Amino acid sequence: MTDDDDIEGLAAEYVLGSLGTLERAEVAGRRATDAALDAAITAWEARLGPLSTALPGIEPPGYILGNVLRQVDTPISVPLASMREGSRRRRSVRRWLALSAGASALAACLVGALLWVFEAPVRIPARFVSELEKTPNPTEGLTVALVPLGFEVFFDLRASTVLVRPFAVPPGSSQDYQLWLIPHGTAAPPISLGVIPLAEPTMSPWPATYPPRDLVHARLAVSLEPRGGSPKGIPTGPTMFEGKLVQASYPLP
Amino acid sequence: VPLSALLDRRSSPLRGREAAGIPSPAVAAQGTPNAELAQLLSQTARGDRAAFEMLYVHTAPKLFGVLARILGRGDHANAVLEDVYMRIWQEAGTFNPEIGPPITWMAALARNRALDAIARGRLERRIADGPEALDLPIEGDAGSDQEQKERRHLLAGLKGLEPERRRVLLRAYYYGLSREEIALEADRSAASVKPWLRSVLAQLKGCLSQ
């Protein structure tokens, strides 16, 4: 969390757009739990908003409306499982499972329990979740005694946030864990979602450059990188955890 | 109210409408009544595709103008515009008319998406060089009575700032400048720009509350 106590100044700069990446992410996350900050941001948006609407418009390329309407008309469904669970039961299952050793088969069931069937989808999913499990290591064979669940990553597209929740992941002595998004069906390199702090869950904003549909069928991976993250912008270390991104049926845990 | 009246003029290699990526007057003409936009948003929230399409037609140029100034005209702004309208399709039901006009809510949503994209550092952008890029006629009589009233109030508040502060603040807003970029604009050190910027914003708030 930012230690900036000047809520008014922080809100004003957030709306102005002058905060750096980390500070902007922190404010976006803090806003969800800090009513005073949220109110200050809303007030500054109202204060400066007339500037946005005061200038003449610019006609966008004509194809964009077609693209938007196609997304509206062709909702993406992810028919991956058929179980629906209440959030309380889901969390208790997850906690129990996280404490179970070598439970990769059960972890697959857990993923199933987190999924939602689109019976009559009308909208692009608003929430995605991924449970990142330890990548199998050939040298460890079948005697893995570690907790299989490494991280949970939760995308809330309505709130434009990404929550990364670490489980009992041992810290690297001089290395960091870095999270990557691997979009489906593209040869593009993985997209860095940043180095993961292990001490506590972290919330950051989801960039607008990646439309919601890019998350469908995407995968997430965590690699072990030099302190501060990969110097090359692409994964350089071994993949430690990975998981598939699926639609979540429940709000931010 | 010409915005140029609020800005100090400086020499710049970029001049005129073309340099600023300004559209033709026909495109610039906007001003759908609030009640109509609010109605379209309400219908969109209920899944009315035709209303959503109408909403796009009425508002896309305005939102694209907001995005293009921050992201530059090109694929990034196009992609973000698509994203913004998908969000509007999904979030139309969260619009609260008590907070402000519909177009202001939509513009804030668009602007936030553009700023997020910039903050992630994945976008290269071209910032028009010089205040002439903002040498535009503010559409003083466009929009609803409420919009016009709020706009006049804000412009009056901006007039309370010293010209240089006003110029930097407006460029920071329209182009989504970072503190580092603002430091260059204001010819200040990186260390001093944060307190300076906050004092400008606090001063503006004071002017607006008078």
Side-chain angles (χ1 to χ4, degrees), chain B residues 22-41:
Chain B
I22 304 310
S24 66
V27 172
Q30 295 291 313
T32 311
N34 280 334
E36 187 178 336
L37 289 184
Q39 176 66 25
L40 291 173
L41 270 173

Side-chain angles (χ1 to χ4, degrees), chain A residues 170-226:
Chain A
S173 57
S174 62
Q175 293 176 297
D176 278 330
Y177 290 101
Q178 188 164 358
L179 180 63
W180 305 89
L181 173 70
I182 306 165
H184 178 69
T186 170
I191 298 155
S192 172
L193 298 181
V195 166
I196 307 175
L198 297 178
E200 59 181 1
T202 50
M203 183 102 77
S204 54
W206 173 242
T209 40
Y210 294 96
R213 62 179 170 180
D214 282 6
L215 294 177
V216 176
H217 302 313
R219 295 183 65 79
L220 294 179
V222 171
S223 66
L224 201 53
E225 300 290 345

